[in-house]
Amino acid sequence: MEPLQALRRYFGYSSFRPGQAEIIGCLLNGEDVLAVMPTGGGKSICFQLPALLQPGVTLVISPLISLMKDQVTALTENGIAAAYLNGLLTERQIDTVLRRAARGAYKLLYVAPERLETPAFLDVAKALPIDMVCVDEAHCVSQWGHDFRPAYLQIAAFLSALERRPTLCAFTATATERVRDDIVRLLGLQAPHRFVTGFDRENLFFSVLHPSDKLTALREYLDLFRQKSGIVYCATRKTVDQLTALLTKDGYRVVGYHAGMAPQERRVQQDRFIRDEVRVMVATNAFGMGIDKSNVAFVIHYDMPGDLESYYQEAGRAGRDGSPADCVLFFSAGDVVTQRYFIEHMEENEALTPQERARQQRLRLDRLGTMISYADGARCLRASILRYFGEAASDRCGRCSVCCGEILSEDVTIQCQKVLSCVARAAAVPKTVIAVLRGRCTPQVSAAGYETLSTFGILREADDEALQELITFLLSQDLLAVDDAGCLRLRPSARAVLFDGERLRRRVTARDLRHKKSVQRHAAPDPVLLQRLSVLCETLAKRNGVPPFAVFTAKTLSVMAAVQPQTAEDLAELPGVSKAKLQKYGALFLREIHRYRALDMKSKEF
Ligand code: ADP
Ligand code: MG
Ligand code: ZN
């Protein structure tokens, strides 16, 4: 079978990701491979697929028990014979697996590195037709890496104990030049083909925030991402417990996860998150390795991790399905203290001499330094990451908080309500919906009689591009859907926005906002609202014995009727709204705008 055909048949994918086809080609030729691919890049298929296409069995050495189990389950689901061996199985289960393996029952056998040293396993392995040995998370072999596992050092000895040397391949997401060299040397890769696929994940937007109050900032972000699923990483178990309790009390659907919980409980929490029963996973770094949840829309680091490898690996769990996703780091000076403490009280590693331990500490402090300079936010965040991994990068990516300026959020409820109520009446293709909103009588509009709708022209002042963006936003928020004919339809969740007062916020950057402000100046006022605001202005003027323009000028009223601010802050942004006027009149004008909007919405039948 051709690799591409096998990809379709066994994994249901129609094309290879960058690097996959080439790596698979080398392995099928019996050539060693070192592959460095980002988290979510699709490393597993690179060894699983050639394993299927070879006559014997492939051993996969993997450091994490949960990861093995998940991969074996996934393979079995796809009809591929696979099993794993680790310390969680009983002696009897292990015997069974070994006996079956000896009979040639498996294409893939996953083992923990410690297993390679046991005589029972070596006996069986010597008798097995092993085509290929694959070392997953291969950086664990290097003391320069961030997850050193001494048992990985035994892999080379194991291989040389076999009668026939299998093809050897090593995979990792996190390897600097030094770690790569260690992997080749310590595993004994022979003239390996090296593949380093691009580290850039274009769909990720990186931000660093220095919030004065992290909890408030977190709430704001969770609201911004609305119903989207995401992970909040914390440095300690205590923070996980505290945040989980606080957020639950606030009504967010969250679960917590850390290594202090019983394995069974962790399993339950993880499943609830993966099955979308809860929206947010609050966890320590114990969560995530080998977790393959494709629709994670954001990863927030509530605390700064100890190095950039860990950060990128964890943040990289966002947006695996390729849709736009956010990676946000909250940074405070306290984070540096916490991470220093971790390094100074590092777990005793039995396999290390005191000198080695001291050297490890120095290395960790160096890596912490790199992480801190990322968190400083002085340079383009994407460029910092890519260069750290040895990739060339331009100085400005245009998709990070350093390139785009401060990250703000904007209330887009009104505009969205207008679009949604228009779609409720005119479930047409986006282009036609935009024409109706702008009040343009295109042939499609008049053919359907849309020009008589109450929503005809309600967003006359917006431009087509902005409306297209709003529609995309509503699709991404699952408030709109596209049917088979390409027409927009309301999703049931749109009701909450139209009738139950649910607010919608969208992330904007300082750069977007500057652009928008200049557009806003030309926005047309809503004539009915303008009329009402003018009446209010005259009433107040009369009451206070001043001319109407002393309350607000016609210009200010007109902008107010166009922008329709929702909050005192928004109102204060408008030209001619001083602090004093805001205090004196702000609440009354805001109330008038709210009332008008409520009326406006009620008059629409939906
Ligand atoms: P990694 O180990 O590199 O972090 P995985 O092997 O877990 O990544 O793959 C990440 C996700 O990408 C998985 O859901 C996997 O099924 C999917 N994937 C891998 N290869 C392809 C492909 N060619 N087409 C579509 N999806 C793929
Ligand atoms: Mg993997
Ligand atoms: Zn940038």
Side-chain angles (χ1 to χ4, degrees):
M1 202 187 307
E2 287 296 311
L4 191 60
Q5 206 180 345
L7 182 73
R8 280 205 198 100
R9 155 100 61 101
Y10 290 101
F11 299 98
Y13 299 132
S14 53
S15 61
F16 283 112
R17 293 234 181 108
Q20 285 180 330
E22 295 83 352
I23 293 170
I24 291 168
C26 284
L27 292 175
L28 289 175
N29 271 340
E31 293 160 286
D32 283 6
V33 163
L34 167 63
V36 185
M37 290 163 87
T39 306
K43 290 184 282 297
S44 317
I45 280 178
C46 295
F47 56 85
Q48 290 170 344
L49 200 143
L52 287 174
L53 301 180
Q54 296 182 86
V57 61
T58 291
L59 283 190
V60 183
I61 299 165
S62 169
L64 272 183
I65 290 174
S66 67
L67 195 140
M68 281 183 207
K69 194 158 177 268
D70 289 348
Q71 291 211 1
V72 168
T73 310
L75 287 167
T76 314
E77 288 292 307
N78 284 331
I80 300 162
Y84 61 87
L85 285 172
N86 62 40
L88 283 191
L89 299 181
T90 62
E91 283 305 318
R92 252 187 77 181
Q93 288 172 316
I94 289 176
D95 280 348
T96 311
V97 171
L98 287 177
R99 244 183 307 111
R100 287 197 189 143
R103 283 207 315 264
Y106 305 119
K107 297 308 295 178
L108 290 119
L109 185 58
Y110 283 71
V111 294
E114 289 76 14
R115 177 79 27 195
L116 302 175
E117 300 165 28
T118 64
F121 181 74
L122 190 60
D123 282 347
V124 174
K126 277 182 173 162
L128 285 180
I130 303 176
D131 301 314
M132 193 165 81
V133 170
C134 162
V135 183
D136 203 5
E137 313 291 348
H139 58 275
C140 292
V141 78
S142 169
Q143 294 189 39
W144 301 101
H146 59 107
D147 265 331
F148 177 53
R149 273 282 279 268
Y152 265 61
L153 293 171
Q154 306 305 317
I155 296 173
F158 167 79
L159 286 169
S160 49
L162 298 175
E163 259 155 48
R164 189 174 61 97
R165 185 183 180 280
T167 310
L168 180 61
C169 55
F171 292 85
T172 179
T174 55
T176 50
E177 200 52 50
R178 200 173 221 170
V179 173
R180 279 176 216 167
D181 291 343
D182 264 6
I183 293 175
V184 172
R185 191 168 52 86
L186 297 169
L187 293 179
L189 285 159
Q190 291 174 3
H193 289 267
R194 292 181 183 229
F195 292 92
V196 181
T197 61
F199 269 78
D200 190 12
R201 300 273 310 280
E202 290 191 356
N203 59 324
L204 300 184
F205 190 102
F206 293 96
S207 346
V208 170
L209 255 75
H210 298 180
S212 53
D213 175 8
K214 285 189 177 184
L215 186 58
T216 308
L218 179 62
R219 287 201 186 96
E220 273 171 25
Y221 259 89
L222 293 182
D223 292 344
L224 182 58
F225 293 115
R226 212 172 148 263
Q227 287 163 6
K228 300 257 154 154
S229 176
I231 307 173
V232 178
Y233 276 113
C234 310
T236 65
R237 298 173 187 182
K238 200 171 121 204
T239 316
V240 169
D241 291 336
Q242 285 172 344
L243 274 187
T244 312
L246 281 170
L247 292 173
T248 306
K249 215 174 79 204
D250 287 351
Y252 296 97
R253 289 178 301 124
V254 308
V255 283
Y257 184 109
H258 58 64
M261 296 171 163
Q264 171 60 19
E265 191 186 357
R266 276 193 268 165
R267 192 83 206 166
V268 169
Q269 305 290 59
Q270 175 178 316
D271 287 350
R272 291 180 67 199
F273 177 61
I274 288 177
R275 283 195 246 108
D276 283 326
E277 288 170 17
V278 294
R279 179 161 90 91
V280 181
M281 167 59 87
V282 181
T284 61
N285 61 5
F287 176 77
M289 231 222 258
I291 301 296
D292 175 19
K293 182 170 161 59
S294 63
N295 64 341
V296 174
F298 62 91
V299 171
I300 296 174
H301 278 79
Y302 196 75
D303 301 305
M304 182 188 71
D307 56 71
L308 206 50
E309 281 111 317
S310 306
Y311 178 70
Y312 199 47
Q313 189 158 48
E314 287 158 16
R317 291 178 184 133
R320 278 188 173 215
D321 56 5
S323 18
D326 275 69
C327 307
V328 187
L329 171 64
F330 288 0
F331 176 68
S332 72
D335 292 334
V336 180
V337 179
T338 311
Q339 291 301 335
R340 286 235 170 87
Y341 181 90
F342 285 161
I343 294 174
E344 278 151 20
H345 299 78
M346 207 166 78
E347 257 174 51
E348 296 286 308
N349 191 334
E350 297 297 319
L352 299 183
T353 65
Q355 289 92 324
E356 281 175 328
R357 203 168 298 148
R359 196 186 62 160
Q360 280 236 323
Q361 277 193 351
R362 275 200 309 279
L363 280 174
R364 286 190 190 217
L365 285 171
D366 278 357
R367 284 205 296 265
L368 178 60
T370 315
M371 186 70 233
I372 294 171
S373 67
Y374 175 89
D376 269 346
R379 272 175 304 271
C380 168
L381 300 176
R382 180 172 266 102
S384 304
I385 293 170
L386 295 180
R387 286 175 191 166
Y388 183 67
F389 288 114
E391 235 176 75
S394 68
D395 287 338
R396 298 182 69 75
C397 73
R399 278 165 300 127
C400 79
S401 62
V402 174
C403 290
C404 297
E406 201 187 344
I407 306 300
L408 309 156
S409 68
E410 145 189 70
D411 191 313
V412 285
T413 314
I414 303 177
Q415 296 98 301
C416 288
Q417 284 171 335
K418 288 182 177 171
V419 175
L420 292 173
S421 55
C422 186
V423 173
R425 296 173 180 75
V429 297
K431 209 171 136 216
T432 307
V433 171
I434 291 174
V436 175
L437 288 165
R438 301 280 321 262
R440 267 201 313 262
C441 239
T442 64
Q444 291 86 343
V445 169
S446 35
Y450 289 149
E451 69 271 38
T452 61
L453 293 177
S454 56
T455 50
F456 187 74
I458 46 169
L459 281 170
R460 208 178 288 276
E461 72 282 4
D463 60 35
D464 285 18
E465 196 186 334
L467 291 179
Q468 185 59 57
E469 261 174 34
L470 268 187
I471 289 172
T472 308
F473 172 72
L474 290 168
L475 287 166
S476 79
Q477 298 295 307
D478 225 13
L479 295 164
L480 283 182
V482 180
D483 68 13
D484 293 340
C487 295
L488 294 171
R489 298 248 178 261
L490 289 189
R491 303 267 300 135
S493 48
R495 291 194 70 85
V497 178
L498 280 167
F499 303 115
D500 301 338
E502 182 175 325
R503 316 284 320 162
L504 289 178
R505 300 191 74 84
R506 179 167 69 169
R507 188 197 63 211
V508 283
T509 62
R511 192 182 61 174
D512 297 335
L513 214 62
R514 278 196 296 280
H515 175 69
K516 290 238 167 57
K517 285 257 162 66
S518 62
V519 172
Q520 231 167 40
R521 233 173 278 134
H522 309 292
D526 180 325
V528 182
L529 178 60
L530 180 58
Q531 169 70 23
R532 295 175 62 130
L533 294 176
S534 307
V535 170
L536 175 64
C537 188
E538 278 159 25
T539 313
L540 290 173
K542 217 172 273 166
R543 191 188 300 162
N544 295 349
V546 294
F549 65 79
V551 178
F552 284 126
T553 63
K555 169 81 194 155
T556 301
L557 292 178
S558 156
V559 175
M560 207 183 293
V563 175
Q564 308 190 5
Q566 291 296 295
T567 62
E569 286 142 62
D570 294 349
L571 183 59
E573 290 277 309
L574 303 187
V577 182
S578 64
K579 214 168 186 168
K581 286 192 185 175
L582 186 68
Q583 259 172 12
K584 241 195 248 166
Y585 308 119
L588 293 167
F589 280 85
L590 285 173
R591 197 179 64 184
E592 191 62 28
I593 294 168
H594 280 298
R595 276 191 188 153
Y596 171 70
R597 290 205 36 249
L599 202 72
D600 193 35
M601 292 317 302
K602 247 186 254 149
S603 70
K604 289 168 184 160
E605 69 277 19
F606 181 31

